[in-house]
Amino acid sequence: MLKKIALALIPLLGFAVMATAQNKQISGKVTDANGDPIPGASVLIKGTTTGTATNLDGTYSITASAADVLEFSFFGMKNQFVEIGERKVINVTLQDDLLLLDEVVVTALGITRSEKTLGYSATTVKSDDIVSARTTNLANSIAGKVAGVQVQSTSTDPGAASSIIIRGFSSINGSNQPLYVVDGVPIVNVNMNAQSKSTGISGISNISSEDIESMTVLKGAAATALYGSRAANGVVIVTTRSGKKGNDRDFTIEYSGGVQLSQVAMFPIMQNMFGQGWNGTQTYIENGSWGPALDGSTQVYGPIWNNQQRIHEFSAKPTNVKDFFDLGVSHNHNLAISGASTDNKMTYYLSYGYTSDNGAMPGDHDTYNRNTITYNSTFDAAKWLKVSSNLSFARNKSDVVGSYQGTSVIDGLYEFPRDISIVDLKDLSCAFNTPEAYLTPYGITNLYWAIANNYNHNDAKEIRGKIQLDLKPLKDLTLTYRYGFDYRDMDNKMGYPEINLDDSLINDDKGYAPSNMNQSGWVYAYYSRGYETNHDFLAT
């Protein structure tokens, strides 16, 4: 029996000896392009976790088979794969990975520097991450992408201004906003604040995300020294796209667009047990919902006007507030032509962008529309001279629904009785849907009437650009002159409705006349114009 077992093991032992015989000791040396040894380089058998590292003199030794492939790697250098075959000595020269070694960021005044040589914090957000955010305001596109940077939108309204706070608040009553620099030129960020709303007028809000190559946030004091006190809260460097060739031709044409739908996601929790009234008592002109318990009976409400009074079912309207809002629709489109001359001496980039945002308020009373045109070009006039320029035009128009106490929409919405249908108040030709005979005279009015009669419109334009000359009198010296400008103007008009009632058709005001809502109307017009020019002389 033992003899039979021994005979059966002979083939297995032969197979093991054969497998062991296929492995061999591989040695060699790993060097860089200059022939210097690379200590600590990784030598790994591809597809396995078996490997080793080079010694201080760049040498290594590893056991592998002729069929294996060795992978040599080191940080900042390109990986190299080598088939072993019949060789026992394999020497490898690793080449620098320029994509890693030449990783640069745009710093103050548009100067590019290797990220590893900077003595301060600089974080760059690339174009793909910016475009994928699909935000109307460019500032919102870096939210959550840069450590220590807080991005807040003033509201969810179309065209709402956004603020960027870098490393926390530095002032209680002053500005905490960073300085924005586009292609080396500082720009002025202006917001219009009116009726408890803030709208982006010029600056960062007028830049299309599709035109951006990168955004770099500079946080350290040393990074902002060149801009003085304006950069006390940090700097956001915006680099726009430049021209490039297509795969098989000298130009490319790109279109991108998107549509977004939005709706109000959260509402205050409201009770649906009690109807119009106060302290459990039925009052026909009350704006509160603390009257009798809702019982589904038929009830009258509001004043008696021209011998008429409204009637309704005394039951809860649970979706009253939700039904008031529309579905918001936002869409953006961008068409760009980019290219370069055959000899690559000239590049150009031209784009047109359109953004439209209609918010959740009924109708088109809360809208934001923006048109942008951007042109960038470079020209290598000689080996020692390069000329570059860019020009950008933006125009935005916005309509805002204000928030304030009195005849504003929000005030009237949340003080509305729970048993009356809001959507039945749309017909403004009916006196009961106007202040003349509205269901309550206690400081609020019909929401639809408030939207139609309050006015807040902005119309703003901005033109900015630069022309730059780069001279290279010596190999390692570049002299730069840059002229940049930023011009903006804004036209804002606001209207507040006059209410002048005499109660002549009121038969019974139920204790408080509609004329108590009387107020003086006013119209406000504001126009501003501003510009800034910058001259920079640099030697790098």
Side-chain angles (χ1 to χ4, degrees):
M1 180 67 179
L2 292 176
K3 184 176 181 181
K4 291 181 179 180
I5 294 175
L7 291 174
L9 289 175
I10 290 176
L12 296 177
L13 291 173
F15 176 77
V17 171
M18 186 179 298
T20 303
Q22 288 179 344
N23 289 334
K24 56 185 177 180
Q25 198 74 14
I26 308 298
S27 62
K29 187 174 185 179
V30 179
T31 59
D32 60 17
N34 297 322
D36 297 325
I38 302 178
S42 173
V43 183
L44 186 69
I45 299 177
K46 185 180 178 181
T48 72
T49 57
T50 303
T52 186
T54 57
N55 301 319
L56 292 176
D57 58 357
T59 60
Y60 72 93
S61 178
I62 190 172
T63 301
S65 68
D68 287 332
V69 175
L70 295 182
E71 178 182 0
F72 298 86
S73 62
F74 189 73
F75 179 77
M77 295 186 169
K78 295 180 180 180
N79 293 2
Q80 192 170 143
F81 298 90
V82 178
E83 295 181 355
I84 294 177
E86 300 299 324
R87 290 179 292 178
K88 293 184 178 181
V89 177
I90 299 177
N91 297 320
V92 172
T93 299
L94 296 181
Q95 303 296 325
D96 292 338
D97 190 344
L98 298 180
L99 292 177
L100 291 176
L101 294 181
D102 293 339
E103 187 83 19
V104 296
V105 296
V106 180
T107 63
L109 297 174
I111 302 171
T112 57
R113 287 289 181 265
S114 172
E115 187 172 9
K116 290 183 284 187
T117 65
L118 298 179
Y120 47 84
S121 176
T123 305
T124 299
V125 181
K126 296 297 185 180
S127 174
D128 290 344
D129 294 326
I130 295 172
V131 173
S132 63
R134 290 293 176 190
T135 60
T136 301
N137 193 321
L138 180 60
N140 296 331
S141 63
I142 63 173
K145 297 181 175 67
V146 181
V149 174
Q150 183 179 9
V151 182
Q152 290 182 329
S153 181
T154 55
S155 72
T156 58
D157 297 314
S162 295
S163 64
I164 294 180
I165 306 297
I166 299 176
R167 287 182 173 174
F169 290 91
S170 59
S171 173
I172 296 177
N173 56 3
S175 173
N176 290 283
Q177 294 303 293
L179 174 67
Y180 296 95
V181 180
V182 180
D183 294 327
V185 179
I187 63 173
V188 179
N189 202 55
V190 177
N191 300 324
M192 180 63 191
N193 302 306
Q195 296 184 340
S196 302
K197 295 296 178 71
S198 182
T199 305
I201 297 299
S202 68
I204 193 71
S205 62
N206 268 347
I207 304 176
S208 172
S209 59
E210 303 286 349
D211 294 332
I212 304 303
E213 185 67 34
S214 66
M215 293 177 67
T216 301
V217 179
L218 307 183
K219 307 173 187 177
T224 60
L226 287 175
Y227 294 110
S229 60
R230 296 181 66 183
N233 299 312
V235 181
V236 177
I237 305 291
V238 179
T239 303
T240 60
R241 295 176 61 183
S242 57
K244 61 181 180 181
K245 290 185 176 182
N247 293 328
D248 54 355
R249 53 188 176 183
D250 293 339
F251 67 92
T252 60
I253 300 177
E254 298 179 9
Y255 166 79
S256 63
V259 177
Q260 291 179 310
L261 303 178
S262 60
Q263 64 180 10
V264 180
M266 187 176 297
F267 299 94
I269 299 175
M270 296 183 175
Q271 61 85 23
N272 290 303
M273 295 180 61
F274 303 97
Q276 185 183 26
W278 201 257
N279 289 330
T281 303
Q282 180 86 47
T283 52
Y284 298 111
I285 58 171
E286 184 59 63
N287 61 332
S289 295
W290 301 110
L294 297 167
D295 58 9
S297 62
T298 301
Q299 300 278 357
V300 294
Y301 68 98
I304 299 177
W305 172 86
N306 198 21
N307 299 313
Q308 303 171 61
Q309 191 175 19
R310 306 204 91 168
I311 190 171
H312 75 311
E313 182 183 287
F314 197 57
S315 60
K317 309 297 186 292
T319 61
N320 223 5
V321 175
K322 180 180 180 180
D323 293 341
F324 171 76
F325 292 101
D326 282 349
L327 184 69
V329 180
S330 173
H331 57 94
N332 59 82
H333 309 274
N334 194 85
L335 180 64
I337 301 175
S338 175
S341 61
T342 304
D343 57 4
N344 287 320
K345 287 187 175 181
M346 184 185 77
T347 67
Y348 60 89
Y349 174 83
L350 176 65
S351 75
Y352 168 73
Y354 174 71
T355 297
S356 177
D357 191 355
N358 192 345
M361 288 291 177
D364 56 358
H365 298 282
D366 62 331
T367 60
Y368 176 81
N369 294 282
R370 184 185 66 203
N371 292 271
T372 60
I373 299 175
T374 300
Y375 178 74
N376 295 340
S377 67
T378 63
F379 177 60
D380 293 325
K383 291 184 178 180
W384 52 272
L385 176 62
K386 180 179 180 180
V387 181
S388 58
S389 64
N390 64 41
L391 184 66
S392 178
F393 170 79
R395 182 174 186 176
N396 66 73
K397 296 181 179 182
S398 62
D399 288 286
V400 178
V401 177
S403 298
Y404 49 89
Q405 190 171 6
T407 59
S408 77
V409 172
I410 297 300
D411 200 34
L413 182 64
Y414 293 137
E415 293 188 38
F416 198 79
R418 299 298 295 154
D419 54 293
I420 301 174
S421 172
I422 291 180
V423 295
D424 290 341
L425 306 180
K426 293 181 180 180
D427 182 10
L428 299 184
S429 64
C430 174
F432 288 105
N433 294 338
T434 70
E436 183 177 2
Y438 190 55
L439 63 93
T440 178
Y442 292 137
I444 65 170
T445 188
N446 180 5
L447 291 72
Y448 296 99
W449 186 90
I451 289 179
N453 288 276
N454 285 277
Y455 184 75
N456 188 342
H457 178 77
N458 293 307
D459 189 346
K461 296 182 288 293
E462 183 176 14
I463 302 175
R464 62 178 177 272
K466 74 165 186 180
I467 184 168
Q468 179 172 319
L469 303 177
D470 294 304
L471 293 86
K472 292 184 68 69
L474 301 173
K475 179 181 178 181
D476 296 322
L477 175 63
T478 300
L479 302 177
T480 300
Y481 166 72
R482 181 191 300 119
Y483 168 74
F485 68 92
D486 181 15
Y487 169 86
R488 61 206 172 274
D489 67 54
M490 178 190 67
D491 185 7
N492 172 252
K493 291 183 175 64
M494 287 187 290
Y496 189 70
E498 178 187 23
I499 300 178
N500 185 18
L501 304 173
D502 60 9
D503 301 325
S504 60
L505 293 177
I506 296 294
N507 304 112
D508 185 356
D509 60 22
K510 299 301 180 181
Y512 201 72
S515 58
N516 285 288
M517 282 291 295
N518 285 354
Q519 64 182 26
S520 298
W522 50 263
V523 175
Y524 173 85
Y526 174 78
Y527 177 78
S528 70
R529 179 177 62 184
Y531 65 90
E532 176 178 328
T533 59
N534 288 274
H535 298 269
D536 299 323
F537 298 90
L538 305 172
T540 57

